[in-house]
């Protein structure tokens, strides 16, 4: 497990974060409905060459969860900006997944953040997105938030499994479920789904262009949430280089093929001279 001993107040949200390693900075940004623990099998390898920063998005994991909280994509890039400023980083390498990809891209195109390199995979970045389940929760958030615990646990476990191509163990299901359980976690789970809005990618998608840093896009070839073709489209737009398919992997590549992520990031950072902090 990754340790997140630090708390920073960013845009009114208590954000939990940690760091590991030494060297130039690298930031990892997780997606939904996960937490920074998706990087637990990846960060230790990268920390041999980089100071790796990891945090839980606003309303996720160990970060603050509260009634009425805005945890949409409109907030997450502001959290990223605030953390980078607090950490005093200059052009960090960035590794981003799912909503983390949207957060990194919004930070770049809307807030002027600049990166040493960007490795992004299975990102929420191009319309259309949002499953029928998401639409249903948006229409009936209160009913889902008030479900009996056993029903919520079963739904959550089934939902998490659809993110992976290979079976998730009971321990992994429990790891990712834990923040979303109980009187605080269960409403928070449906709150973040209810606030999923394509508007926040639509407003930045038209700005996508070649980035001023090395960019690589990876995609789980068996992604059942966002098809591989979206990865090809995103790679062509941001970098002009092909998307790298990750075989035998679904949306949650961190569980299906963590070694593919480590290899990709190591190859990426080896190709450039570190800029540092």
């Amino acid at each position: 497990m990754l340790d997140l001993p630090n708390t920073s107040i960013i845009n009114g949200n208590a954000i939990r974060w940690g760091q590991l390693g030494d060297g130039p900075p690298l930031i990892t940004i997780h997606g939904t409905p996960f937490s920074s623990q998706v990087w637990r099998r990846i960060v230790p390898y990268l920390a041999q060459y980089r100071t790796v920063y990891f945090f839980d998005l606003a309303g996720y994991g160990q970060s603050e969860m509260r009634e009425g909280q805005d945890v949409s994509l409109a907030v997450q890039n502001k959290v990223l900006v605030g953390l980078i400023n607090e950490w005093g980083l200059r052009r960090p390498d960035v590794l981003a997944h799912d909503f983390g990809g949207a957060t990194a891209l919004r930070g770049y195109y809307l807030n002027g953040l600049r990166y040493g390199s960007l490795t992004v995979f299975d990102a929420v970045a191009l319309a259309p997105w949002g499953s029928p389940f998401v639409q249903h929760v948006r229409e009936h958030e209160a009913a889902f938030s008030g479900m009996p615990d056993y029903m919520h646990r079963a739904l959550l476990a089934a939902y998490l499994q659809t993110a992976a191509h290979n079976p998730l163990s009971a321990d992994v299901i429990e790891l990712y479920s834990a923040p979303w359980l109980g009187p605080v976690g269960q409403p928070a789970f449906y709150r973040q789904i209810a606030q999923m809005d394509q508007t926040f990618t639509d407003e930045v998608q038209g700005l996508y262009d070649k980035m001023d840093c090395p960019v690589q896009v990876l995609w789980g070839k068996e992604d059942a949430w966002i098809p591989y073709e979206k990865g090809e489209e995103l790679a062509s737009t941001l970098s002009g280089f092909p998307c790298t398919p990750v075989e035998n992997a679904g949306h949650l590549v961190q569980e299906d093929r963590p070694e593919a992520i480590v290899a990709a990031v190591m190859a990426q950072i080896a190709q450039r001279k570190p800029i540092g902090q």
Side-chain angles (χ1 to χ4, degrees):
M1 294 287 288
L2 295 177
D3 185 24
L4 285 74
N6 308 295
T7 301
S8 296
I9 306 301
I10 308 292
N11 285 85
N13 297 288
I15 304 298
R16 292 287 295 274
W17 62 273
Q19 69 183 80
L20 189 67
D22 190 25
L26 184 152
I27 301 173
T28 62
I29 316 174
H30 71 84
T32 177
F34 309 105
S35 72
S36 57
Q37 298 306 325
V38 293
W39 309 114
R40 70 195 184 284
R41 296 195 291 169
I42 294 167
V43 164
Y45 292 98
L46 302 182
Q48 299 177 58
Y49 307 94
R50 291 289 189 267
T51 301
V52 184
Y53 295 83
F54 40 91
F55 67 99
D56 287 341
L57 293 171
Y60 291 75
Q62 298 178 41
S63 288
E64 179 184 13
M65 299 176 177
R66 67 177 187 274
E67 184 177 354
Q69 184 180 18
D70 185 352
V71 298
S72 70
L73 283 173
V75 167
Q76 305 300 348
N77 53 298
K78 297 174 184 176
V79 169
L80 178 62
V81 171
L83 287 172
I84 288 177
N85 288 338
E86 181 166 317
W87 295 332
L89 306 184
R90 175 173 171 260
R91 281 192 174 263
D93 294 301
V94 173
L95 171 61
H97 172 237
D98 186 80
F99 265 28
T103 296
L105 293 173
R106 285 175 58 86
Y108 182 93
Y109 290 103
L110 297 181
N111 302 106
L113 292 179
R114 290 298 176 261
Y115 310 132
S117 70
L118 174 64
T119 300
V120 63
F121 62 101
D122 301 80
V124 175
L126 300 170
W129 58 270
S131 68
F133 174 66
V134 168
Q135 303 306 321
H136 196 62
V137 170
R138 291 182 66 179
E139 295 174 8
H140 306 285
E141 180 186 358
F144 280 94
S145 296
M147 281 196 307
D149 178 72
Y150 74 93
M151 294 178 62
H152 169 64
R153 285 175 179 267
L155 185 154
L156 182 54
Y159 181 61
L160 289 168
Q161 180 56 68
T162 65
H165 178 60
N166 301 301
L168 298 175
S169 71
D171 287 345
V172 170
I173 291 288
E174 179 61 29
L175 171 67
Y176 292 139
S177 296
W180 304 122
L181 301 177
V184 174
Q186 180 170 331
F189 176 72
Y190 297 108
R191 181 183 307 124
Q192 55 92 20
I193 293 179
Q195 293 183 26
M196 293 181 185
D197 193 333
Q198 189 176 295
T199 298
F200 302 125
T201 54
D202 287 345
E203 69 180 351
V204 70
Q205 183 173 336
L207 303 176
Y208 292 164
D209 201 352
K210 302 298 185 293
M211 300 178 73
D212 70 348
C213 65
V215 178
Q216 61 177 340
V217 178
L218 290 73
W219 220 268
K221 200 67 184 337
E222 311 300 330
D223 191 334
W225 286 13
I226 308 176
Y228 174 76
E229 289 71 25
K230 289 293 184 182
E232 293 181 321
E233 182 181 349
L234 187 65
S236 175
T237 302
L238 299 182
S239 70
F241 294 101
C243 177
T244 300
V246 183
E247 301 292 343
N248 196 34
H251 187 74
L252 192 56
V253 183
Q254 296 98 321
E255 293 298 331
D256 286 325
R257 294 285 309 281
E259 74 282 1
I261 299 172
V262 172
V265 175
M266 292 306 302
Q268 181 80 295
I269 63 179
Q271 292 177 13
R272 73 177 192 87
K273 181 180 179 180
I275 296 175
Q277 294 176 264

